[in-house]
Amino acid sequence: MTYEKLEVWQRSFKLTVCVFKQFSSLKDYGFRDQITRSALSIPSNIAEGWERVTDKEKVRFLSFAKGSCGELKTQLLIATEIGYIDSEIVHTMSAETEQIAKMLGALMNKLARSS
């Protein structure tokens, strides 16, 4: 199975596009760069990990992606607190980030058990 067929990759890809669109006009370039990089890291690390040979390597990169979920959620919460984005949008994106993190955890566990 290719990484593009993984539901977790598809959902993280869509979330990343949403983050880029929501913050595209933000004038705080440092914040915009940081939040878009953390979002971009999620599907990118899933893809890179899935292309690795061993399950141990896959788990390592999925772990990076999961860490980026925590980073992104934190930045989304900060963005709403400082008035960069509406709290309803953040709630939706944060919930999706949490679901993606759970999916990554389950996939990591599955791969670790099969090793």
Side-chain angles (χ1 to χ4, degrees), residues 1 8 24 26 41 47 49 54 70 74 80-81 85 87 93 102 105:
M1 174 187 298
V8 70
S24 65
L26 184 65
S41 178
T54 67
T74 298
T80 194
E81 286 294 317
I85 189 170
S87 62
M93 288 195 294
K102 287 178 185 176

Side-chain angles (χ1 to χ4, degrees), residues 7 12 20-21 26 39 49 51 56-57 65 68 70 75 81 83 89 98 101 106 109 111:
E7 182 183 356
S12 65
F20 268 78
K21 287 179 178 179
L26 184 65
E51 292 295 325
K56 185 176 180 180
E57 288 179 299
S68 293
Q75 293 162 356
E81 286 294 317
I89 296 168
E98 288 175 18
N109 287 336
L111 289 169

